Amino acid sequence: MYLLIGHPQDPCCQTVSAALESQGLQASIIANPMVHPWRVSWRFGDAKVKGQFGGEQGREFELEGVLVRGRGEVEVGEWQSSDLLYMQSEMQAALLGWLWSLPCSVINRPPAWLWYRPQASLAFWQPLLWRYGLRAAEMMVSNVESEARTFGQRHASVAVYAPLTVGERYLIAGEEDWNGLAALERVAPVALRQSLDDAHLVCIVGKQVVWDGKPPADKLAIEPRLISFAAAMKLDFLQMVLAPSGGDWRVIAVEPQPCFEQFGAVARQTIAERLAQFLTAANASQCKAAVVCGAV
């Protein structure tokens, strides 16, 4: 069985599930494998640690692959806020450990430093991108109005206000915008990045790159670097936004949990098919995680 951890209405899980089922394979979408009626366990034997997954019934399956599209969020229900935060933290920590105990193919089994930083800013990724021959869009953080203005002047008086703690982005393109930014700078530093046109949305699946729409003519110059970066981050499924600048490419955004719905229909289908191929291409005989599936 192939386990897809994510919301049942997640279009990515649904499309991958359909791709697997078209091959006569069984796939189950489960939002959180650590809540009733499901259970997970680790067994520490003489040979190796084995992760197991089960339910209330006695029916057993063998996990052949796992796609991670969620982090095991807990429904609020009647939880008190303090208890909910504690339970959420403990459950996510256990889920991460369990994912690393599985010997089968797991797509996006992240290292702990990324699991607990799911929405890292571009500034966080910049030094990591540099190691693999990728350049991030030019950025600056300052609370000095003149420095921000100088940054904007280098880029035709246009910049993007990109707060480091949230995902929203705001275009700074006129005097009113720059005056508003100056008001913010009197309170706290602001983060700016250059505004780039002709952005390209790409998805890396294993050692393949899927471009949303028509790929650029020089795609072969950038694709090996994207694949190397994703592999180094231990991510088999990664979304990035690129834009041409100065004869090369600049990275605008890195998304460890790809936003499947942002891609066009053709790209979505291609991504789903390649995810299914990636899962099924692994040596299924290496997966010994017993699964007991209970009635939901």
Side-chain angles (χ1 to χ4, degrees):
M1 185 184 83
Y2 292 89
L3 175 62
L4 313 180
I5 300 176
H7 193 279
Q9 301 304 315
D10 175 25
C12 181
C13 286
Q14 291 179 334
T15 311
V16 173
S17 177
L20 290 168
E21 290 172 355
S22 69
Q23 302 177 45
L25 303 172
Q26 181 182 359
S28 294
I29 304 174
I30 298 176
N32 190 343
M34 303 193 72
V35 299
H36 182 80
W38 314 106
R39 67 176 186 272
V40 300
S41 62
W42 295 318
R43 293 192 177 183
F44 299 84
D46 296 334
K48 63 173 69 174
V49 179
K50 290 183 180 180
Q52 293 188 310
F53 174 49
E56 294 180 321
Q57 304 295 323
R59 190 179 179 189
E60 293 189 0
F61 297 88
E62 184 176 282
L63 280 181
E64 297 177 276
V66 178
L67 170 63
V68 182
R69 288 285 295 168
R71 298 171 65 242
E73 284 74 15
V74 179
E75 294 186 5
V76 176
E78 298 180 356
W79 287 96
Q80 297 293 325
S81 58
S82 58
D83 294 335
L84 177 64
L85 179 61
Y86 170 78
M87 180 58 65
Q88 182 77 72
S89 300
E90 291 295 309
M91 188 171 293
Q92 289 182 346
L95 178 58
L96 177 63
W98 178 72
L99 288 172
W100 277 96
S101 74
L102 296 176
C104 60
S105 174
V106 180
I107 294 181
N108 275 22
R109 174 166 44 194
W113 60 265
L114 188 53
W115 181 258
Y116 291 104
R117 192 182 283 107
Q119 294 183 328
S121 68
L122 184 60
F124 168 83
W125 292 106
Q126 185 178 30
L128 300 173
L129 290 165
W130 185 267
R131 293 180 192 175
Y132 298 93
L134 297 168
R135 301 176 64 192
E138 187 177 347
M139 296 173 286
M140 74 159 293
V141 178
S142 176
N143 62 350
V144 180
E145 180 182 356
S146 60
E147 291 184 356
R149 292 271 188 170
T150 300
F151 179 86
Q153 289 170 1
R154 292 204 307 272
H155 303 289
S157 295
V158 177
V160 175
Y161 170 44
L164 300 179
T165 55
V166 295
E168 288 77 6
R169 300 292 180 261
Y170 307 92
L171 184 65
I172 308 298
E175 189 62 26
E176 183 178 355
D177 294 334
W178 285 105
N179 289 336
L181 190 71
L184 289 175
E185 290 172 315
R186 289 192 285 272
V187 178
V190 299
L192 296 175
R193 71 162 172 82
Q194 68 182 121
S195 176
L196 294 170
D197 298 324
D198 193 23
H200 291 255
L201 189 61
V202 300
C203 185
I204 299 93
V205 182
K207 295 184 178 180
Q208 298 177 310
V209 178
V210 179
W211 296 81
D212 188 36
K214 184 179 180 180
D218 62 341
K219 68 173 187 175
L220 296 181
I222 186 68
E223 286 185 355
R225 287 179 278 170
L226 299 177
I227 294 170
S228 296
F229 173 74
M233 298 301 106
K234 300 186 183 302
L235 294 173
D236 307 304
F237 185 29
L238 177 66
Q239 174 182 319
M240 301 177 74
V241 183
L242 312 172
S245 176
D248 199 359
W249 291 87
R250 292 272 188 169
V251 177
I252 298 175
V254 179
E255 179 51 69
Q257 195 60 268
C259 301
F260 190 73
E261 61 278 7
Q262 292 182 357
F263 291 83
V266 175
R268 289 199 301 269
Q269 187 61 38
T270 302
I271 291 169
E273 291 173 354
R274 291 186 177 177
L275 286 171
Q277 291 170 0
F278 191 93
L279 283 171
T280 56
N283 186 356
S285 64
Q286 293 180 354
C287 184
K288 303 300 182 182
V291 179
V292 185
C293 183
V296 179

